[in-house]
Amino acid sequence: MANEVCFKNHHLDKPWTLQAYQSTGGYDVWKKILNKKTQADEIISELKTSCLRGRGGAGFPTGLKWSFMPRNAPGEKYIVCNSDEGEPGTFKDRDILRYNPHALIEGMAIAGYTMGASVGYNYIRGEFWEPYEHFETAVKEARAAGLLGKNILGSGIDFELYTHLGGGAYICGEETALLESIEGKKGQPRFKPPFPASYGLFGRPTTINNTETLASIPSILQNGGKWFLEIGKPNNGGAKLFSVSGHVNKPGNYEVPLGTPFAELLEMAGGMRDGNKIKAVIPGGSSTPMLPGDVMMDVNMDYDSIAKAGSMLGAGSVIVMDEKTCIVKALARISYFYYEESCGQCTPCREGTGWLSRVVNRIENGAGRPEDIDLLLDVSKKIEGRTICGLGDAAAMPVSGAIKHFRDEFQYHVDHKKCMVSAA
Amino acid sequence: MVNIEIDGKKLRVANGAMLIEAADEAGIKIPRFCYHKKLPIAANCRMCLVDVEKAAKPLPACATPVTDGMVIHTKSTKAIAAQKSVMEFLLINHPLDCPICDQGGECELQDVAIGYGDDVSRYSEKKRVVHNKNLGPLINTDMTRCIHCTRCVRFGEEIAGIKELGMTGRGEHAEIGTYVAKTVSSEMSGNVIDLCPVGALTSKPFRYSARAWELRQHETIAAHDCIGSNIFVHTRHEKIMRVVPKENESINETWISDRDRFSYEGLNSKDRLLTPLVKENGEWRETDWDIALRVVVEGLKDVVDNLGAASIGTLISPSATLEEMYLAQKLMRSLGCNNIDHRLRQQDFRDQDNAPVIPWLGQSIKDLEQVDAALLIGSNIRKDQPIAGHRIRKAAISGANIMVLNPVDYEFLFPVTEKIIVDPRRMSKELGAVAKALFELIGEPFPKGLTSLLQDVQPNGQHKAIAQHLKAANNGTILLGLSAHTHLDFSTLRALASLISDISKCTIGYLTDGANSPGGWLAGAVPHRNHKQEKITSDNLNASEMLRSNLKAFVLQGIEPEKDCANHSLAVNSIDQAEFVVGLSMYKSDSLLESANVLLPISPFTETSGTFVNIEGRWQSFQGAVSSAGDSRPTWKIWRVLGNLFNVDGFDYMSSEEIRDEVRSFSGNIIPKNKIEWQCPTALQNNMDGVVRIVDTSIYSIDPIVRRATALQQTADALTPAIHIGEELASRIGLMDSDQAIVRQGDGEVTLPVKIDYRLPAGSVLIPPCELGGTYLGHEYSEVKLEKI
């Protein structure tokens, strides 16, 4: 039971081409909608049935999000796809853009139709040159086939799709910073309210969805919401792409049903490298708290199970660490990332990420002080929940998570001025 | 309205209000840095986090709209914890240099740190250091102190309309700066000094000269334009150290122009006249007031007795106070002389008898931001009256059609719907075309004489569009600006503008020079009407006529004739040839030293009490902030004593208030009306030969005080003497940028560098008031000859 949704064409030759996509029923849903002028409510209701939750990390129910758009309001509205996949450990959207771009195009067109937007933007991470070319080629193919543009297939419906390549800032993956960036401004999150559904791109109502979310839409509508839901489990509908990286034998993207046990996923990824023991797993990308390996071995990969275990499914970016990993060093690398990527707009994140990074580094380098571990916990607590966007939380949660489960390692660093793992 | 509760206090507040607004209104203090009521919300400092019931996280009060039933705690454990943590973050990288920081003592960070900061920092790493930026002569930077609140950035974007500052870099490396190394040039830029909550942006001229707690604060009124911005003057040891805005929502809101803020440097200028001077046998000698006043009285009596009072001319600055103007005209008229005028830059007086009793804005300053259409005639409103420009900008941004008819393509930082930039000699024709288009649009018959006046005029699409916008406006206005007032066809422009106003139902308004020109009209400081607004029909020379009538004596108050009169060379020559010249002056300016017989040191607005009537007709009285410098005296007292010495009745005033109340008793009931009777101008200007000169009295050369404000004179807006010339005309004459050329106007001849200026239409050059080697040029809009060297 793998590769049923976004990766369903993976077995085909050149799966990224229009021909390959259409060979498995691609664009049928779009054509049907154009032909029948399906009611938007019907589409949204199908999505609600499917329990599709946003695949970008927050896991917000997509059907509900779409229902927030004032689709009958006059004037332009926008649908924006967030392909600014920048979270360390995440690389699933890249493969959708490379291997199944038409699913995303069809998903965006349907989203545009459903929410009354005739213009869409796909914001692709700056470093993704090859995926960008694949996606652009696909857009050209779709346009040439009359599936995008004005009066599509004589239906009277317009949908134009533009690609926007980012400039390399992690923060532009935050949806409002992404909007600012499309507008040509410095990528900085906006404060909310107002939310994008009322004041989004160029001040117009806008919905932003993740690449995987949008690319799942055609399959859901083709097979029905119930089909999708039943792939996964209640409240956690469908299959999900997991980017497995770290100390495994076969790192890569795996599309499996939500609820699949972690142990199974680990096995699909070839098991632990060199037969080492599993020490820790970051289940949802670098911003989610890490969990001890033995805890993970009993957890199922879905939103609710991982939340119950004390972390988050996030974007499904599973970083596996074996027994030879120094948790302090791993955290030092993660903290440095957030320190470098904070946009600098709001105080706790601008000032706090640097502070965290310096203290973790200090500990890692054998200069830690007795009070440092509590200081880290305190500073991260002071960042969490007090910033404009989620980057502050993203920087704080790994710190508290690592200390929660591996405090003894930090203590060892402070007490002995050296690493527990390499000393062993 | 919704019901909320803050700290147990039940409040009813407007829907959509932010929490912080509701709290401020109720007097509940929430600490903040980035929030400012006049700026768009940024919510970036997080200092105003408060505890809202049912919300999981603390919410920023500045960006959280109130909802019905909301219960807010601003001092609960949760709120205080959030606020303290933000404070700690703000302080970790902030330098501990308060003892040498100009903001010390009036620093928002310092103040809030006392309530929310800890005694000892837990941050022992190296602090951030940020390179300073050179923002020009007005604003000093210490960027290491910056707390990234972005008030300065938002001010540029939203208020000044010019995005000169921004935040570059990310995270801890984020810095405020100009995107490319350049100085800040907005005429409102100094406001970022007030906005900056810390010592990152401070006043350059004020730097290191006093501590905030040493200063005394005095309310007064700014003296350089007709707006009358409310200001505080800060003094130490009887010296003015700096000027900051005083909030007045109906006039200047929380802003002031750079001119009003930094002009004080001119008050302490080295060439301040501090003792009375008398010229004896061509030599200046310091003297006391008794002698000086006796010389004045004898000199003037001599002229009156031998040649008649009508051979005296009195020219008074439009920035003199109401009391000064009133006493000046009262004394001169009692001597039998009506030759008194404050309209020094005006050249066309043909319609003065038909002019409004008090030409005014026709509406309040605040109303300007409500207009839906405005036609600016001869106005660089942004630089001439920056606060009015700001109001018009607000209107423009909310969609008003702003249209201009100007001799120079001034840069406005707002959208301009229609723009006619023409040779100044064509301005009345262009306005005529708008009038014609409007009459045709409305289908109204032409009033008497208009048909033949406009027979050669054909409205084009632009004229029709302007007419259309004015007609469609519900709340339109037509404004005559400074270069309309100085125009040779002012009467024609006024007649046509009034006509357009009448039939389009758009309010006509005037934007004048000086701080008190409406006061000049009220006080009777015009030759053709006295303080009771009675018409004077004979022996009433206006400013221009006085200078052309070989008068035997002049009394000059607060002016430098070579720069403040319309015709510079004429003014100098005419005053030079007079036998007896009295200068009431703040400064020992060269031309006065040359031409005057007596110089009486007068006190500027900061050293005297008085009243300015601003362009919306608001009387604003003020007290002196410091005592008169040296032996200088408040001018009203000088006029009062002169009255006594001339034995004129009714000069026994004990205070300036007494004089003000007397003026009010004559004119307090006047309801100013700008509407005038249609008198058809005789002809529109036809002669388009040669090249004419535009003077463009720039923002920083408008009066003697500003001309001596050293920091302002170093800004980009301080015009250096040069021939500004459009590209087309330059190539026709064979001039290139940076060439030297001779300019001849009247008797004057000067050599100046050439500057290509794309704002100028063909047929005109812009040469600011200039004096080189004692020669002066003539008047605005008259012909000049250019010759390449």
Side-chain angles (χ1 to χ4, degrees):
Chain A
M1 275 249 295
N3 294 355
E4 287 176 277
V5 186
C6 293
F7 278 5
K8 72 172 178 188
N9 292 339
H10 256 41
H11 60 285
L12 301 177
D13 182 38
K14 292 186 185 157
W16 53 84
T17 56
L18 180 63
Q19 197 193 356
Y21 184 64
Q22 286 184 314
S23 73
T24 59
Y27 288 113
D28 285 357
V29 176
W30 180 225
K31 284 177 190 160
K32 193 172 141 199
I33 288 171
L34 291 171
N35 186 26
K36 283 198 168 167
K37 305 280 175 337
T38 317
Q39 289 294 310
D41 285 336
E42 230 174 277
I43 296 172
I44 289 175
S45 144
E46 206 62 43
L47 289 182
K48 285 183 175 166
T49 308
S50 77
C51 273
L52 171 65
R53 293 170 64 170
R55 302 299 196 220
F60 193 82
T62 306
L64 190 60
K65 190 176 201 171
W66 284 21
S67 70
F68 292 155
M69 270 289 270
R71 60 174 181 272
N72 296 320
E76 192 54 81
K77 290 171 282 294
Y78 297 100
I79 168 82
V80 173
C81 173
N82 185 347
S83 299
D84 189 50
E85 182 173 55
E87 174 95 346
T90 313
F91 42 85
K92 62 183 180 70
D93 296 337
R94 183 187 61 184
D95 281 358
I96 295 175
L97 295 171
R98 286 162 89 192
Y99 301 119
N100 200 6
H102 284 288
L104 176 57
I105 295 168
E106 188 178 4
M108 286 187 73
I110 295 166
Y113 167 85
T114 310
M115 287 176 277
S118 62
V119 178
Y121 286 88
N122 185 18
Y123 188 99
I124 298 179
R125 175 174 171 170
E127 293 88 341
F128 282 180
W129 184 249
E130 187 219 351
Y132 167 77
E133 286 189 319
H134 267 226
F135 185 75
E136 267 295 86
T137 308
V139 168
K140 284 195 189 107
E141 276 183 306
R143 202 177 283 140
L147 295 162
L148 290 175
K150 294 248 177 270
N151 188 20
I152 301 167
L153 304 176
S155 63
I157 289 158
D158 306 335
F159 187 74
E160 198 45 86
L161 185 50
Y162 304 100
T163 314
H164 186 110
L165 197 64
Y170 169 70
I171 191 60
C172 289
E174 196 281 341
E175 59 181 24
T176 55
L178 184 152
L179 297 181
E180 292 278 298
S181 178
I182 295 179
E183 289 181 10
K185 300 173 188 158
K186 187 184 175 196
Q188 280 189 174
R190 302 173 180 171
F191 69 86
K192 288 144 278 202
F195 291 93
S198 56
Y199 188 93
L201 187 62
F202 305 112
R204 306 294 312 160
T206 302
T207 289
I208 303 126
N209 283 125
N210 167 258
T211 314
E212 188 186 347
T213 313
L214 287 164
S216 304
I217 304 286
S219 294
I220 295 174
L221 297 177
Q222 195 169 23
N223 303 304
K226 195 157 166 285
W227 164 82
F228 188 78
L229 173 66
E230 284 170 357
I231 293 177
K233 51 190 264 194
N235 198 35
N236 293 270
K240 165 97 189 75
L241 286 171
F242 288 97
S243 310
V244 184
S245 65
H247 304 148
V248 294
N249 281 317
K250 276 169 63 190
N253 284 315
Y254 298 90
E255 187 172 55
V256 294
L258 280 169
T260 302
F262 169 74
E264 260 179 48
L265 182 65
L266 182 61
E267 208 177 309
M268 289 173 86
M272 295 303 292
R273 197 175 63 184
D274 302 336
N276 284 337
K277 244 180 84 191
I278 185 166
K279 179 175 189 178
V281 176
I282 300 175
S286 64
S287 64
T288 58
M290 61 175 76
L291 293 172
D294 51 346
V295 173
M296 279 305 289
M297 293 307 281
D298 294 331
V299 168
N300 293 338
M301 298 305 286
D302 61 75
Y303 293 97
D304 298 340
S305 305
I306 293 186
K308 216 172 132 196
S311 188
M312 292 185 292
L313 184 76
S317 326
V318 184
I319 304 173
V320 181
M321 291 177 267
D322 68 13
E323 57 195 333
K324 290 189 176 157
T325 312
C326 170
I327 296 297
V328 181
K329 191 170 185 176
L331 182 65
R333 189 62 194 81
I334 289 172
S335 292
Y336 183 74
F337 175 79
Y338 290 105
Y339 161 53
E340 275 294 313
E341 293 295 342
S342 164
C343 83
Q345 185 183 198
C346 70
T347 309
C349 178
R350 179 184 63 241
E351 307 292 345
T353 52
W355 197 356
L356 287 179
S357 171
R358 288 187 178 94
V359 175
V360 179
N361 252 295
R362 187 159 78 199
I363 299 174
E364 160 66 11
N365 293 324
R369 302 166 195 165
E371 68 272 20
D372 275 354
I373 300 171
D374 287 332
L375 179 69
L376 283 177
L377 287 174
D378 188 59
V379 171
S380 57
K381 200 178 89 203
K382 285 178 169 175
I383 300 173
E384 222 178 308
R386 287 168 186 173
T387 49
I388 290 177
C389 76
L391 197 146
D393 294 355
M397 288 187 301
V399 174
S400 46
I403 296 177
K404 184 177 168 196
H405 297 293
F406 300 97
R407 190 170 177 128
D408 55 333
E409 269 194 53
F410 286 83
Q411 197 63 51
Y412 190 92
H413 265 262
V414 172
D415 294 344
H416 298 89
K417 314 286 179 208
K418 62 180 181 184
C419 183
M420 190 192 231
V421 178
S422 58
Chain B
M1 300 294 273
V2 295
N3 294 303
I4 61 165
E5 188 184 310
I6 308 182
D7 294 348
K9 210 168 172 176
K10 293 202 178 341
L11 303 166
R12 270 182 75 73
V13 294
N15 246 335
M18 295 297 163
L19 274 181
I20 207 165
E21 296 173 275
D24 280 354
E25 186 96 337
I28 296 164
K29 291 226 162 23
I30 298 173
R32 82 285 306 266
F33 295 108
C34 70
Y35 173 77
H36 187 277
K37 62 180 178 182
K38 291 284 175 189
L39 296 177
I41 291 163
N44 61 31
C45 79
R46 319 305 284 178
M47 193 64 216
C48 68
L49 289 174
V50 293
D51 174 6
V52 179
E53 277 185 17
K54 291 180 195 146
K57 307 172 185 175
L59 299 176
C62 68
T64 306
V66 294
T67 53
D68 200 41
M70 209 179 225
V71 180
I72 303 110
H73 306 283
T74 72
K75 292 170 187 69
S76 66
T77 317
K78 186 172 160 189
I80 295 285
Q83 292 158 4
K84 283 196 163 181
S85 65
V86 172
M87 191 74 230
E88 180 174 27
F89 285 131
L90 282 172
L91 289 178
I92 63 171
N93 274 309
H94 190 79
L96 274 173
D97 65 345
C98 306
I100 57 149
C101 175
D102 257 3
Q103 195 84 356
E106 53 181 1
C107 172
E108 293 176 47
L109 189 67
Q110 231 177 14
D111 295 350
V112 179
I114 287 169
Y116 301 87
D118 271 330
D119 299 348
V120 181
S121 172
R122 296 190 293 165
Y123 186 76
S124 51
E125 273 62 36
K126 275 185 192 160
K127 291 198 176 213
R128 174 175 55 228
V129 172
V130 184
H131 281 289
N132 290 337
K133 318 288 184 291
N134 182 7
L135 301 184
L138 306 178
I139 302 163
N140 189 71
T141 62
D142 280 287
M143 298 317 291
T144 301
R145 297 177 186 146
C146 174
I147 58 167
H148 306 84
C149 71
T150 67
R151 280 189 192 171
C152 56
V153 176
R154 284 173 284 144
F155 174 82
E157 285 169 5
E158 300 291 325
I159 309 297
I162 175 165
K163 208 173 172 174
E164 293 180 303
L165 293 171
M167 196 159 84
T168 55
R170 255 192 343 231
E172 238 183 50
H173 311 295
E175 290 181 18
I176 300 291
T178 51
Y179 294 100
V180 283
K182 82 189 259 292
T183 59
V184 162
S185 67
S186 158
E187 63 289 347
M188 305 266 280
S189 70
N191 290 299
V192 300
I193 297 168
D194 305 331
L195 288 173
C196 182
V198 294
L201 305 176
T202 53
S203 163
K204 210 174 245 185
F206 174 70
R207 196 172 194 221
Y208 294 152
S209 62
R211 307 302 322 230
W213 55 86
E214 301 170 326
L215 300 172
R216 302 184 66 167
Q217 176 160 292
H218 310 262
E219 296 174 15
T220 187
I221 304 301
H224 308 290
D225 60 32
C226 59
I227 300 302
S229 289
N230 290 197
I231 54 173
F232 285 123
V233 165
H234 288 170
T235 66
R236 188 183 63 165
H237 306 327
E238 292 288 312
K239 191 180 169 200
I240 292 176
M241 305 306 295
R242 66 175 180 186
V243 169
V244 296
K246 175 175 182 271
E247 188 174 346
N248 185 329
E249 197 50 37
S250 26
I251 301 176
N252 49 303
E253 302 168 79
T254 54
W255 319 121
I256 52 173
S257 64
D258 287 356
R259 182 165 62 188
D260 290 342
R261 183 186 300 270
F262 295 108
S263 68
Y264 73 91
E265 282 196 292
L267 300 169
N268 305 325
S269 161
K270 278 193 187 120
D271 65 346
R272 261 300 286 272
L273 177 62
L274 295 170
T275 41
L277 297 178
V278 171
K279 200 187 262 172
E280 281 174 2
N281 305 320
E283 291 289 311
W284 283 105
R285 186 171 66 77
E286 290 189 359
T287 185
D288 59 27
W289 274 100
D290 283 346
I291 296 176
L293 289 173
R294 205 161 61 228
V295 174
V296 172
V297 173
E298 281 168 8
L300 289 178
K301 266 192 178 149
D302 198 42
V303 176
V304 174
D305 293 346
N306 295 319
L307 301 155
S311 49
I312 306 174
T314 301
L315 297 172
I316 191 161
S317 158
S319 295
T321 67
L322 180 76
E323 294 81 354
E324 293 160 8
M325 296 208 199
Y326 174 69
L327 291 195
Q329 65 88 33
K330 185 174 177 182
L331 178 63
M332 298 320 286
R333 287 209 159 96
S334 69
L335 297 180
C337 174
N338 291 312
N339 304 338
I340 179 162
D341 213 339
H342 72 280
R343 301 165 297 173
L344 309 182
R345 291 195 172 93
Q346 189 171 326
Q347 306 198 61
D348 176 9
F349 294 90
R350 282 173 288 179
D351 67 341
Q352 71 173 6
D353 288 321
N354 191 37
V357 169
I358 304 156
W360 72 303
L361 191 57
Q363 55 213 310
S364 74
I365 291 167
K366 204 177 175 180
D367 286 344
L368 288 179
E369 68 180 72
Q370 305 295 343
V371 299
D372 54 2
L375 173 60
L376 300 174
I377 303 166
S379 172
N380 184 7
I381 193 165
R382 182 185 148 204
K383 298 286 181 185
D384 291 342
Q385 296 91 9
I387 294 292
H390 169 56
R391 298 277 190 181
I392 287 287
R393 180 169 184 275
K394 283 204 237 178
I397 285 169
S398 41
N401 290 301
I402 311 296
M403 302 158 281
V404 298
L405 166 55
N406 266 341
V408 179
D409 192 359
Y410 296 117
E411 189 189 5
F412 295 107
L413 300 175
F414 48 74
V416 173
T417 315
E418 294 293 340
K419 187 164 79 173
I420 302 180
I421 307 300
V422 286
D423 184 314
R425 289 166 293 191
R426 278 198 62 89
M427 279 181 63
S428 46
K429 238 182 201 156
E430 297 290 327
L431 193 57
V434 172
K436 195 167 190 173
L438 190 63
F439 270 96
E440 283 167 0
L441 185 68
I442 294 182
E444 187 116 345
F446 282 19
K448 189 166 158 257
L450 192 67
T451 314
S452 65
L453 184 76
L454 300 181
Q455 61 184 353
D456 299 335
V457 173
Q458 275 318 315
N460 62 23
Q462 228 178 347
H463 304 123
K464 286 176 189 164
I466 294 175
Q468 184 67 51
H469 289 310
L470 291 175
K471 177 179 176 268
N474 291 318
N475 192 9
T477 190
I478 297 159
L479 298 171
L480 288 158
L482 290 198
S483 34
H485 283 81
T486 58
H487 202 280
L488 287 168
D489 285 338
F490 178 43
S491 61
T492 311
L493 293 173
R494 188 208 313 263
L496 291 169
S498 298
L499 191 65
I500 293 171
S501 152
D502 281 350
I503 56 164
S504 65
K505 308 280 185 284
C506 291
T507 311
I508 184 168
Y510 294 80
L511 286 164
T512 55
D513 64 346
N516 195 27
S517 75
W521 290 87
L522 278 165
V526 284
H528 61 294
R529 285 194 195 119
N530 66 13
H531 60 277
K532 295 178 183 162
Q533 315 305 337
E534 295 161 342
K535 283 196 177 175
I536 309 288
T537 48
S538 59
D539 289 342
N540 57 349
L541 303 180
N542 59 47
S544 172
E545 289 166 336
M546 282 184 233
L547 296 174
R548 293 168 199 279
S549 303
N550 291 321
L551 294 181
K552 291 294 171 258
F554 276 99
V555 179
L556 311 170
Q557 186 198 317
I559 66 166
E560 297 178 294
E562 77 282 13
K563 291 184 175 121
D564 291 321
C565 292
N567 187 331
H568 311 135
S569 65
L570 177 70
V572 171
N573 295 337
S574 173
I575 292 167
D576 247 0
Q577 62 73 42
E579 284 166 16
F580 188 67
V581 176
V582 181
L584 291 85
S585 177
M586 270 184 68
Y587 302 105
K588 289 183 269 192
S589 57
D590 291 343
S591 73
L592 289 178
L593 287 174
E594 183 75 27
S595 59
N597 297 74
V598 191
L599 283 177
L600 304 178
I602 60 171
S603 305
F605 70 107
T606 47
E607 299 170 14
T608 182
S609 58
T611 305
F612 290 145
V613 182
N614 78 357
I615 199 64
E616 58 179 357
R618 186 188 296 260
W619 294 44
Q620 300 195 103
S621 296
F622 51 88
Q623 298 295 321
V626 289
S627 12
S628 296
D631 277 343
S632 72
R633 289 290 173 268
T635 316
W636 70 266
K637 290 189 179 172
I638 301 173
W639 287 112
R640 177 205 185 274
V641 175
L642 283 173
N644 299 145
L645 293 173
F646 275 106
N647 284 320
V648 180
D649 283 346
F651 270 84
D652 300 321
Y653 307 100
M654 295 304 289
S655 69
S656 64
E657 288 79 10
E658 223 178 290
I659 309 169
R660 178 196 63 200
D661 294 344
E662 189 169 309
V663 183
R664 205 192 284 278
S665 71
F666 295 119
S667 51
N669 293 329
I670 296 176
I671 296 163
K673 271 199 304 252
N674 281 341
K675 192 175 163 61
I676 56 169
E677 223 175 278
W678 166 247
Q679 287 181 356
C680 190
T682 43
L684 299 177
Q685 216 183 111
N686 262 324
N687 177 19
M688 296 293 287
D689 298 336
V691 175
V692 293
R693 173 191 178 200
I694 296 165
V695 174
D696 192 39
T697 306
S698 85
I699 177 166
Y700 300 142
S701 57
I702 195 84
D703 64 42
I705 300 174
V706 171
R707 290 194 285 264
R708 286 169 174 79
T710 42
L712 290 177
Q713 294 309 322
Q714 289 159 21
T715 62
D717 271 332
L719 286 179
T720 44
I723 304 162
H724 294 251
I725 185 168
E727 213 178 14
E728 188 195 327
L729 181 59
S731 70
R732 197 163 5 118
I733 307 176
L735 290 173
M736 308 241 280
D737 203 60
S738 308
D739 277 354
Q740 294 278 321
I742 301 172
V743 192
R744 294 191 184 85
Q745 191 184 26
D747 307 334
E749 178 181 312
V750 290
T751 303
L752 292 171
V754 171
K755 218 170 158 179
I756 300 296
D757 189 332
Y758 296 96
R759 302 173 305 160
L760 291 165
S764 57
V765 290
L766 188 157
I767 306 170
C770 57
E771 175 264 303
L772 288 172
T775 49
Y776 301 94
L777 294 178
H779 61 90
E780 185 156 37
Y781 305 129
S782 73
E783 199 176 334
V784 288
K785 296 245 184 285
L786 299 173
E787 190 185 314
K788 186 183 171 177
I789 299 183

